[in-house]
Each structure stands twice: as C-alpha cells, then as structure tokens.
Amino acid sequence: MIIPNDPFLGTHYIGKEELKAVKKVIKSKSLFRYHGPNLLYKTTELENKLAQYLNVKYVLACSNGAAALKLACIGCEIGPGDEVIMSSFTFIASAGSVLACGAVPKFVDINETMNIDTEKIENAITKNTKAIMAIHMQGQACDMIRINEIAKKYNLKVIEDVAQAFGSEIDGKKSGTFGDCGAFSLQAGKTITCGEGGFIATNNKKIYELAKMYHDNGGYREGDNYPTWENGKTIFGENFKLTELQSAVAVEQIKKIDMIIHNQEKKYNYIINNIDKNYYCLRPKMINQKNVSVSLSIQFNTEKQCKKFIKYMNTKGIGFNNYCSNLINEFDTFKLHQSWNKICFPYNVSKYQDNKCPKAYSLFKRTAWFNLSASLNNKHLKYIISELGKFQNEE
C-alpha cells in the first residue's frame, strides 16, 4: 500500500467556492488590486478577514512568504550591520530575508521541540543584534513568552516566521501576534493557500506603514487608492503586491482554516493515541500550546536507528524521511559568503559568523518526519499504526 504523504493542506480543500470566487474576478476584468473596470476589492477583503482571525490591527497581503519576511524586516528597520538571531533549522527564506536587507543571521541551536532553544539566545546577543526571528517549525510555535522577555530585556525587535504554523496558538493567542510583526505564507504547502502569496500581521502602525510603502515600490497610499511618490513620506521599494485572483482564493480558504486544523489534529491524535509513546519519542510541546498538525516526527537515539526506521517504513509505502538536505547554515551562501554580486553584499558590510549548532545537527540526523496529508483516511491511518507496531516488535 502506498500512503499519501504530500504536504499540501489547503490545496485539498479547494472546491466550488474558490472556483466561483475566481470566476467573479475574471468576469470583473479587474485583476489588479487598485484598478479595474469593476474592482471587487478582494485583496482588501482578505486583509480584513485575516486581521479579524488573528485579532490584530493591521494586515498587509503580499506576493509570497519570502516577501512577507522581507517586509517584516523592512518594517522593523533591519539593515546593514545588523544581526538577527534565528535557528538554523528552517527554510532558507528565513535567513534570505535578512540578507536581502543587508543584515546577517546569527544562528542559534534548537532543542527537542525542533524550535530555537531560548536558553541559548542571550549568549548570542551582541551590540549588533537588532532582532530575534522566532521560526515556528512544522506547525508548532516557539516559546514566545520567553522570547519576548529576552527581547524586552535587550530592547530587540521580535519577528515571527509563521509560514509553517498558521493557526497555531499559545494560551489561545495566535502565533504571529506575540512579536512586533508576524510573517505568513499562503504557498501551496501551507495551512491555507492561493498557490503563492503571503502577508504580514502587526499591531504597530509604523511597521505596517513602512512595509506597505516598500511593497508598493516605495509609494504611499491611503486606503485602496493608487500610491503616490511625491508627498515627503516616500522611499524606494519593490513590487510585492498580491493579485485579486489569488486573494479571491485565499478569502474562501480562510473560511475553512478551522476545519482544516481540526481535521489534521484528528489524524495526528488518532496515530499517537494508538502507538507506544514509551518507545516512540515524539516531538515535545508546551502544555498550553495548540499545534497545526502538519506532520508526525519521531526522534531516535541514534542516526543509525533513524535510518533503519526510515528504510523499513519506506519499504512499506510510508514516506518517512529526514526533514531536508541539510541545515541552512551549511548552504553555500553562508559557508562561502556568496552573493549575486562581485563585492559579496551583504557579507562585505555585515560581519557573518559561522555559529555551530550541534544539537540541531544531531536532531536533524536522527529525526524521521512524515507529512500528514489531508487525503489520509482511516484505512491509511490504521495501516501506519500497524506498521509502527511491527517495526517496534522487530527491534
């Protein structure tokens, strides 16, 4: 039996509602968020719905999750010479957004939660540290209470990378709303999707206005009016706008987010409640935390045992695997200080230091991950549980 293990959650919930919404936008012939013969203002509607869901004052929709991360950095005024503390167990866009602003990441080790080890943050802070980026990996939030305490003590900004955990909570408060700014993704493999797309969320008007200008090529706009560039407020920027077509899909998807999260939680709980948790070491979480169950991760004592488990499960059609090719601090751009330009910006203006993360490297090698596909059914789940039991008995 081949068990589905694709990472696409919201994609599986695309249906007649999204199709109807897209048809309306196409019929309006108004695909750009500020202009058109019959503009439906779907991007504005999306921003309002997201702000309501997260209970924040400001949401800015943008072209993708990487753009959202850069806009969060821009809004927090991160620039050349600055350092941003983050874990190395993440997708490269987290660090890439910092590099794009002329700053450098300062990698800090993780703990068994697979998120940043808050006990290691203070030792990484230097005079150049400007912010902490809390990256909520695979549906599980970081310890935001402790991170905010450290940030307050050292007068640092807090940016939350919520690309992989939209809808997760701590004490009933949504991830992405604890720090100064949260960056989210609407890419195909995320909780909800419009193919690509992203947004930032904040309660800080200054951060919002600065990010909004940058995403509008530096122009200043009020409401849904077209931006202007000659009013004494403007800067330069890039074009990170979301289209009305994408927004129409995302508006329908946000209506389904609670159902998606609930269905994923049921799948996860069904598995873990029917396996021996004394044998299988699951990713730990805080008691007051609600995750988005995008995956099942099992930690082993050794890399050898993890490889044996992955090989066994793969022969049974269950696609457990290591998370990715390597930790991002091992990627070329960091090891060789490589850039798109000959002067190697931003490494020529911001001093990057290679910080070893032994715990992250160890956990990376001895943790097996399985994507909890939205298309998993009871037959699939029972088969997974059965094979987990058989592997245990063969050990």
Side-chain angles (χ1 to χ4, degrees):
M1 182 184 294
I2 304 298
I3 303 301
N5 72 327
D6 65 85
F8 310 114
L9 296 188
T11 301
H12 285 278
Y13 290 84
I14 293 174
K16 60 183 180 181
E17 300 87 0
E18 287 84 354
L19 182 59
K20 183 179 179 181
V22 167
K23 284 182 176 179
K24 283 185 177 179
V25 174
I26 292 174
K27 189 176 180 180
S28 75
K29 300 181 180 179
S30 305
L31 280 59
F32 179 54
R33 75 166 295 180
Y34 304 142
H35 279 322
N38 184 27
L39 189 57
L40 301 180
Y41 299 100
K42 299 305 291 186
T43 307
T44 300
E45 181 183 354
L46 174 62
E47 289 170 341
N48 291 337
K49 286 187 179 298
L50 291 168
Q52 183 179 16
Y53 177 78
L54 293 168
N55 192 27
V56 295
K57 292 180 181 178
Y58 308 104
V59 164
L60 175 67
C62 60
S63 52
N64 52 59
L69 284 164
K70 183 172 183 179
L71 291 171
C73 290
I74 294 291
C76 290
E77 300 181 69
I78 291 167
D82 292 336
E83 294 175 345
V84 177
I85 288 173
M86 66 178 70
S87 78
S88 60
F89 185 65
T90 181
F91 183 58
I92 194 169
S94 306
S97 64
V98 174
L99 294 170
C101 294
V104 289
K106 184 75 172 287
F107 294 119
V108 169
D109 219 339
I110 63 174
N111 56 27
E112 280 75 9
T113 68
M114 309 303 288
N115 285 331
I116 194 168
D117 186 345
T118 56
E119 299 305 311
K120 302 286 177 61
I121 292 176
E122 287 192 83
N123 288 337
I125 295 172
T126 71
K127 64 180 181 180
N128 296 322
T129 305
K130 183 69 175 285
I132 302 169
M133 183 178 287
I135 304 165
H136 307 306
M137 285 296 289
Q138 283 292 289
Q140 184 163 313
C142 301
D143 184 353
M144 292 309 305
I145 309 303
R146 180 62 184 137
I147 288 171
N148 277 349
E149 289 174 351
I150 296 169
K152 185 177 180 180
K153 179 179 177 180
Y154 292 93
N155 193 30
L156 303 175
K157 296 289 187 182
V158 175
I159 296 170
E160 294 179 70
D161 181 347
V162 206
Q164 298 186 11
F166 183 23
S168 62
E169 301 176 359
I170 302 173
D171 280 332
K173 183 178 172 69
K174 295 286 193 300
S175 299
T177 67
F178 287 87
D180 294 278
C181 189
F184 299 75
S185 173
L186 298 171
Q187 186 261 352
K190 303 305 186 287
T191 313
I192 65 170
T193 184
C194 55
E196 276 286 3
F199 63 95
I200 66 166
T202 183
N203 286 308
N204 186 307
K205 186 176 181 180
K206 183 179 178 182
I207 289 174
Y208 169 71
E209 291 290 354
L210 191 54
K212 185 174 70 169
M213 281 197 293
Y214 193 91
H215 115 296
D216 264 333
N217 291 297
Y220 179 82
R221 68 175 168 88
E222 294 183 355
D224 291 301
N225 295 320
Y226 197 80
T228 60
W229 285 264
E230 296 176 293
N231 51 22
K233 300 178 181 179
T234 55
I235 56 175
F236 68 88
E238 298 178 74
N239 179 9
F240 288 152
K241 291 186 285 294
L242 196 65
T243 70
E244 289 286 279
L245 279 173
Q246 292 168 294
S247 296
V249 174
V251 164
E252 298 307 316
Q253 286 266 295
I254 189 62
K255 298 174 184 177
K256 302 176 182 181
I257 189 169
D258 289 335
M259 175 179 63
I260 294 170
I261 293 170
H262 174 71
N263 290 344
Q264 290 300 119
E265 187 177 29
K266 281 175 62 179
K267 292 178 174 66
Y268 180 82
N269 287 337
Y270 186 76
I271 294 174
I272 68 167
N273 289 335
N274 287 282
I275 61 174
D276 184 354
K277 290 188 284 294
N278 291 318
Y279 177 80
Y280 287 111
C281 181
L282 302 173
R283 182 184 182 188
K285 67 174 182 176
M286 296 182 291
I287 296 173
N288 57 347
Q289 202 169 58
K290 180 181 177 182
N291 293 345
V292 180
S293 300
V294 299
S295 59
L296 175 67
S297 67
I298 299 174
Q299 298 170 359
F300 293 90
N301 291 325
T302 66
E303 181 183 350
K304 182 179 179 180
Q305 189 183 20
C306 184
K307 284 183 176 179
K308 182 180 178 181
F309 171 80
I310 289 173
K311 183 178 179 180
Y312 174 87
M313 299 305 282
N314 286 179
T315 62
K316 303 300 180 179
I318 305 170
F320 274 93
N321 215 327
N322 292 120
Y323 182 76
C324 56
S325 60
N326 213 334
L327 302 176
I328 65 168
N329 61 311
E330 295 296 322
F331 288 3
D332 289 348
T333 183
F334 303 110
K335 292 185 72 174
L336 306 176
H337 294 186
Q338 292 187 161
S339 180
W340 77 91
N341 57 80
K342 292 181 180 179
I343 61 172
C344 292
F345 177 84
Y347 301 106
N348 63 324
V349 294
S350 296
K351 189 176 180 182
Y352 171 75
Q353 293 180 320
D354 184 19
N355 233 22
K356 299 299 181 184
C357 300
K359 187 78 170 184
Y361 189 78
S362 173
L363 281 166
F364 165 77
K365 290 290 187 180
R366 56 185 174 85
T367 300
W369 297 82
F370 178 75
N371 295 317
L372 292 177
S373 171
S375 62
L376 287 169
N377 58 35
N378 284 341
K379 184 179 179 181
H380 297 141
L381 296 175
K382 287 177 181 178
Y383 178 73
I384 294 168
I385 292 165
S386 173
E387 291 302 331
L388 287 168
K390 289 178 183 178
F391 177 83
Q392 177 183 349
N393 292 333
E394 288 184 11
E395 279 289 280

